[in-house]
Amino acid sequence: MGAQCSQWVSSCCSEDPSPVRGACFLEKSTGLEVRKLELVSALPPICCKTLMIGSALFAVYLHRRLDKIEDERNLHEDFVFMKTIQRCNKGDGSLSLLNCEEIRSQFEGFVKDIMLNKEEKKKESVEMQKGDQNPQIAVHVVSEASKTASVLQWAKKGYYTMSNNLVTLENGKQLTVKREGLYYVYTQVTFCSNREALSQAPFIVSLCLKSSSESERILLRAATSHSSSKPCGQQSTHLGGVFELQSGASLFVNVTDPSQVSHGTGFTSFGLLKL
C-alpha cells in the first residue's frame, strides 16, 4: 500500500507537479524526520563506547603516572638518606650522635646484604662452571639419643658432613637422595651388652631402603650376641655396601633394642658417598 502510494505520488509529481506539490513536500519532510530520529537513537551507544574507551585509557595513564610518582618518591628518599650519611660523616652538628649511629647501622646492613647476595651468586656460578653433571655428594651424621624408636635418630652435630642439598636428612631419621647413581652406604652402631642370661636375644642392626614408591626392603643386616658379663660391655656393628639408588630413595637404620644403643662421640654414625 505504501509502495503504491509512493509510486502514485512520484507519478503525480512527474506528470503535473503543481497539484501535488504539497504531497511531495510532505513525503520528503517525513523522510528527513525519520533519518534524524535514526541519528539521534544511534548517539547514546556511540557516546557510551566513547566513554568506556576514554575511561580505560585514563585508567592506564593514571596507573603509569602513579608508578612514576612512586619511583620518584623512592628516589627522593634514597637521595635524602645518602645526603644524611654525608652529613653524618662530615660531623654536621644539627644531627644527633644517636641518629647518625642508627643511619650508619642501616647503611652497613644494606651493604652487607648486597655483598652476601653477590657472594652467593658468585659461588653458585662457580659451582655451575665446575659442572653439575656429576657433583660430589657425601653425608655423615651422628646418632641422637632415643630410647623408644626402633628407627635410629640422627642429627647434624659434632663432626658431621653434608656436602650439598642433593641429600637431605628427613625427620631426623632417613637420608633421602635427590640424584640417582651408585652410592656407598654405611652405618656403625655401638650398643651395651647388659642382658641377663635368660634373655640374651641377639642385637640386630638393619640397613633399610625405602623407595620413592614407599616400598621398603632390607639392604644389609647384622646380628651380634650378648657375650659380655659387664654392666655395659660395649660392642660395635658395622655395615656397608655399594647400591644403585634412584632419585627419591631413602635410607634408614633399624635396631631391635634402641635402649642399648650408645650415643657417645664416634660410637654410632650413618652416612653415604656417591661414587
Side-chain angles (χ1 to χ4, degrees), residues 216-234:
E216 297 182 6
R217 63 191 180 96
I218 298 173
L219 298 179
L220 297 171
R221 174 174 281 184
T224 305
S225 61
H226 298 269
S227 59
S228 176
S229 60
K230 298 179 181 179
C232 184
Q234 292 179 339

Side-chain angles (χ1 to χ4, degrees), residues 99-117:
N99 290 337
C100 284
E101 290 297 330
E102 182 179 355
I103 291 170
R104 286 195 185 98
S105 178
Q106 292 179 2
F107 181 72
E108 290 173 357
F110 294 152
V111 173
K112 186 177 179 180
D113 291 340
I114 293 172
M115 296 303 295
L116 286 175
N117 292 332

Side-chain angles (χ1 to χ4, degrees), residues 133-139 163-168 175-186 207 209 219-220 240-251 271-275:
Q133 297 300 322
N134 190 23
Q136 185 179 11
I137 301 174
V139 174
S163 61
N164 50 47
N165 59 0
L166 294 177
V167 180
T168 57
L175 294 175
T176 302
V177 298
K178 305 298 183 182
R179 180 162 297 186
E180 63 180 11
L182 281 175
Y183 289 82
Y184 174 71
V185 186
Y186 64 91
L207 179 59
L209 169 68
L219 298 179
L220 297 171
V242 177
F243 302 96
E244 178 78 26
L245 301 180
Q246 302 298 320
S247 176
S250 299
L251 300 151
L272 57 81
L273 175 66
K274 188 175 187 300
L275 302 178

Side-chain angles (χ1 to χ4, degrees), residues 152 189-193 195 200-206 221-226 235-237 254-262:
L152 294 185
V189 179
T190 302
F191 63 98
C192 289
S193 297
R195 299 280 189 146
Q200 285 187 347
F203 183 84
I204 300 175
V205 181
S206 302
R221 174 174 281 184
T224 305
S225 61
H226 298 269
Q235 300 185 54
S236 295
T237 298
N254 193 305
V255 297
T256 53
D257 190 352
S259 65
Q260 301 298 310
V261 177
S262 300

